[in-house]
């Protein structure tokens, strides 16, 4: 499959941290310069509009990299909420996504026109470079989702394991979708979880998983290697009480399940 691309969104100005904290789900003010964190932008109903890698490169400059979706459209929508805040929002040209060498976990740095997100034993590079998908199996294994277009504005934070990633925080003040996200956090009740599966047939990003015609899940990311098809999926708990799930699409072997 072709390498993935994205557009980064840059927030600059004395109110950049305050603005990002009010819009995104993570606790932004405590993010140190030269580091990154997972975050997300939800709609008022708590559905995830964007899953983000958010880096603080200077005291008043943040770069958000959407993992899926239209960066132009996201930036335009963010601008609607600026009001009197002293923050400037800009969007990059199309950027490639590529694997990188070992860098300190959660570190962020700029190398020319490339931003490097450290993961400890590896890194992810975003910029004008030759893209690749060598990072893809690692991110599938670790439950780092990349959202297909068909699943934007459809999934709630627990389905993407966003609490595990600290992409949502409930002790930092209000943000869009907070009420729904907090209700699910404190009361539970969400019946979909993120899972790594191996399948006997190749799946496609964004594919709807069905049993007897009923949708029971969705495919987020896929990787095939040596006839082994590995995917990151969101799957209903009701059909995943064992290690094997027979869907209309393929037979799925559940390798791991991520908590909310």
């Amino acid at each position: 499959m072709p390498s993935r691309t994205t557009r980064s969104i840059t927030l600059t100005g004395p109110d950049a941290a305050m603005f990002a904290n009010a819009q995104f789900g993570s606790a932004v003010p405590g993010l140190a310069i030269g580091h990154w964190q997972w975050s997300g932008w939800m709609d008022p109903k708590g559905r995830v509009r964007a899953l983000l890698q958010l880096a603080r490169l200077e005291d008043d400059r943040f770069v958000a990299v959407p993992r899926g979706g239209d960066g132009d459209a996201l930036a335009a929508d963010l601008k609607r909420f600026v009001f009197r805040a002293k923050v400037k929002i800009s969007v990059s040209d199309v950027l490639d996504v590529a694997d990188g060498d070992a860098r300190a976990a959660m570190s962020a740095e700029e190398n020319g026109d490339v931003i490097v997100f450290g993961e400890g034993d590896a890194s992810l590079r975003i910029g004008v470079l030759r893209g690749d998908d060598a990072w893809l199996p690692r991110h599938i294994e670790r439950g780092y989702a990349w959202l297909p277009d068909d699943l934007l504005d459809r999934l709630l934070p627990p389905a993407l394991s966003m609490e595990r990633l600290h992409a949502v925080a409930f002790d930092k003040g209000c943000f869009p979708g907070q009420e729904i996200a907090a209700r699910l956090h404190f009361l539970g009740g969400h019946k979909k979880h993120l899972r790594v599966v191996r399948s006997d047939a190749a799946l496609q990003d964004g594919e709807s998983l069905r049993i007897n015609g009923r949708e029971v899940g969705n495919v987020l990311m896929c990787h095939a290697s040596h006839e082994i098809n590995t995917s990151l999926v969101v799957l209903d708990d009701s059909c995943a009480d064992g290690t094997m799930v027979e869907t209309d699409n393929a037979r799925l072997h559940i390798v791991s399940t991520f908590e909310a």
Side-chain angles (χ1 to χ4, degrees):
M1 62 177 293
S3 59
R4 292 172 196 252
T5 60
T6 187
R7 291 179 186 263
S8 64
I9 301 169
T10 299
L11 293 77
T12 55
D15 293 338
M18 177 192 70
F19 178 82
N21 196 57
Q23 291 300 318
F24 301 152
S26 60
V28 177
L31 180 60
I33 298 172
H35 289 76
W36 71 275
Q37 63 183 202
W38 291 101
S39 196
W41 194 30
M42 276 74 76
D43 69 14
K45 295 182 180 180
R47 296 186 178 93
V48 180
R49 303 189 63 188
L51 181 64
L52 305 169
Q53 289 183 256
L54 180 66
R56 190 172 200 166
L57 299 177
E58 299 175 39
D59 183 57
D60 60 354
R61 183 163 68 98
F62 296 80
V63 176
V65 175
R67 292 176 63 91
D70 185 337
D72 264 332
L74 290 169
D77 285 346
L78 276 172
K79 289 177 182 179
R80 295 171 46 227
F81 298 97
V82 170
F83 302 119
R84 297 181 180 178
K86 296 177 180 178
V87 58
K88 179 180 179 181
I89 299 173
S90 60
V91 62
S92 73
D93 294 332
V94 174
L95 304 174
D96 296 310
V97 182
D99 202 30
D101 55 7
R103 300 291 174 93
M106 312 313 289
S107 65
E109 62 182 277
E110 284 182 297
N111 290 335
D113 55 4
V114 176
I115 299 177
V116 183
F117 293 86
E119 299 177 17
D121 58 350
S123 61
L124 193 68
R125 298 184 296 148
I126 310 291
V128 181
L129 41 74
R130 184 182 296 275
D132 62 58
D133 64 357
W135 56 274
L136 189 58
R138 181 176 73 251
H139 282 214
I140 289 174
E141 178 185 349
R142 296 177 181 179
Y144 298 166
W146 193 287
L147 300 182
D149 289 347
D150 289 346
L151 295 180
L152 298 170
D153 304 305
R154 285 187 54 190
L155 300 172
L156 294 167
L160 297 174
S161 193
M162 288 175 65
E163 288 185 48
R164 173 182 64 96
L165 298 175
H166 304 291
V168 287
F170 303 109
D171 57 355
K172 55 157 246 168
C174 296
F175 57 90
Q178 181 197 33
E179 182 179 353
I180 303 300
R183 186 183 306 161
L184 292 170
H185 169 73
F186 291 110
L187 300 180
H190 194 65
K191 303 301 183 182
K192 294 183 178 181
H193 283 85
L194 194 65
R195 293 176 167 89
V196 177
V197 302
R198 293 198 179 116
S199 58
D200 62 354
L203 301 173
Q204 300 295 321
D205 294 1
E207 186 173 352
S208 173
L209 296 171
R210 297 181 178 275
I211 295 179
N212 298 324
R214 179 178 68 89
E215 184 174 277
V216 297
N218 304 94
V219 181
L220 303 183
M221 308 156 69
C222 306
H223 184 261
S225 176
H226 305 296
E227 299 183 352
I228 298 175
N229 304 299
T230 306
S231 302
L232 186 65
V233 306
V234 175
L235 198 61
D236 288 0
D237 295 345
S238 61
C239 65
D241 54 356
T243 60
M244 196 69 67
V245 182
E246 294 278 357
T247 71
D248 300 346
N249 316 66
R251 178 180 298 162
L252 309 181
H253 171 68
I254 298 175
V255 177
S256 57
T257 299
F258 297 99
E259 60 186 32

